[in-house]
Amino acid sequence: MTDSNAFSDLADRLEHARLQALPLDWSATMPVDLPQAYAAALAVRAARVRAGDVPAGYKVGFTNRNIWPHYQVDTPIWGTVWQGSVTQAPSNAPDAAVLLLDGLCEPRIEPEIVFCLRDAPPPDCSADELVASLDWVAHGFEIVHTHFAQWKFTAAQAVADAGLHGLLLVGPRIPVLAGTPTVDLVQALAGLTIRLYGDGALKDEGRGANVLDGPVQALLHFVRALRATPGAPVLKAGDLVSTGTLTDAHPVAPGQTWHTQIESSGPVGGELAGLTVRFE
């Protein structure tokens, strides 16, 4: 897993699996630990960039400790989000966004909080410096998928498999105004509650605190983890970061409509609203 031929072969097989929505045979090239997995994921990222794909930012996965036992993982991961995989939800709330599930393997929906950077946060940033670097916050849906049958994988395998990222739907953007107190934003987002519905039936409930004690904390964890990863790209203005699911991830299929209800208060959090998506 350390030579360029192995990474190139892995990138080719991942691309084929992604386009065909087929399980991937990992017997030939299997990352055995997280450092190897991130090296492989960065090789895949570089291959996609050479092919013309444009990164839009990052997703952070497994920040919700409540679901670690279910997926047999014990640490957050991160992966790349691509411009071609991001959809902005309609500004008119009653209109459902439409996402196509073509090319995804065993897709699942995750309600998340998404940030956008106004500026790159400084090295070893504090929470105050991180909040000062934010442009906006939004509620979103990440549609995750896996090329491992029945969602059976290790954390390292999930990292190499593009961090499980499939699609990202971004809801209305709530500006983070200059001077927003860090503690107020942290508490507002950590304290939000969310209900997830599939075809009108309540499927799950969650809280902002589920993701590493809050979305701002999850973002700070990611910023530090990214900078600690050898060869990782640097953050830049305009990068999106989705901070992990507030509930468990639930299987989705064409023809279904899913929506959320959010209850929150305080700066930014009080302006977040539920989101609706229809799958085709």
Side-chain angles (χ1 to χ4, degrees), residues 7 19 68 75 81 123 128 132 146-147 167 180 190 194 209 213 227 246 267 276:
F7 291 150
L19 294 175
W68 284 3
T75 187
V81 170
D128 288 337
T146 178
H147 295 105
L167 302 170
T180 297
I194 191 165
D213 302 321
R227 287 181 168 140
L246 304 170
T276 301

Side-chain angles (χ1 to χ4, degrees), residues 222-239:
F222 161 71
V223 169
R224 293 169 175 170
L226 181 74
R227 287 181 168 140
T229 303
V234 297
L235 289 167
K236 62 183 186 302
D239 277 344

Side-chain angles (χ1 to χ4, degrees), residues 210-255:
N210 287 350
V211 291
L212 297 184
D213 302 321
V216 174
Q217 295 93 315
L219 179 63
L220 185 60
H221 168 88
F222 161 71
V223 169
R224 293 169 175 170
L226 181 74
R227 287 181 168 140
T229 303
V234 297
L235 289 167
K236 62 183 186 302
D239 277 344
L240 307 179
V241 183
S242 188
T243 53
T245 185
L246 304 170
T247 67
D248 199 352
H250 293 267
V252 295

Side-chain angles (χ1 to χ4, degrees), residues 12-26 101-107 145-150 161:
D12 289 344
R13 293 188 295 114
L14 277 167
E15 183 68 0
H16 180 266
R18 181 176 69 89
L19 294 175
Q20 299 299 320
L22 294 172
L24 183 63
D25 177 10
W26 287 78
L101 296 177
D102 292 347
L104 300 187
C105 191
E106 300 188 44
H145 74 142
T146 178
H147 295 105
F148 289 92
Q150 301 179 357
D161 192 17

Side-chain angles (χ1 to χ4, degrees), residues 75-160:
T75 187
I77 65 170
W78 61 266
T80 300
V81 170
W82 303 91
Q83 286 189 6
S85 66
V86 178
T87 299
Q88 181 67 47
S91 57
N92 187 3
D95 294 336
V98 177
L99 294 181
L100 303 180
L101 296 177
D102 292 347
L104 300 187
C105 191
E106 300 188 44
R108 298 187 178 191
I109 188 170
E110 296 184 341
E112 309 205 0
I113 297 300
V114 182
F115 295 96
C116 180
L117 298 178
R118 179 188 300 111
D119 304 294
D124 301 319
C125 67
S126 66
D128 288 337
E129 291 171 323
L130 180 62
V131 169
S133 75
L134 297 178
D135 188 10
W136 50 260
V137 177
H139 169 37
F141 286 133
E142 189 179 23
I143 311 306
V144 290
H145 74 142
T146 178
H147 295 105
F148 289 92
Q150 301 179 357
W151 282 78
K152 302 297 183 184
F153 45 67
T154 66
Q157 291 162 353
V159 167

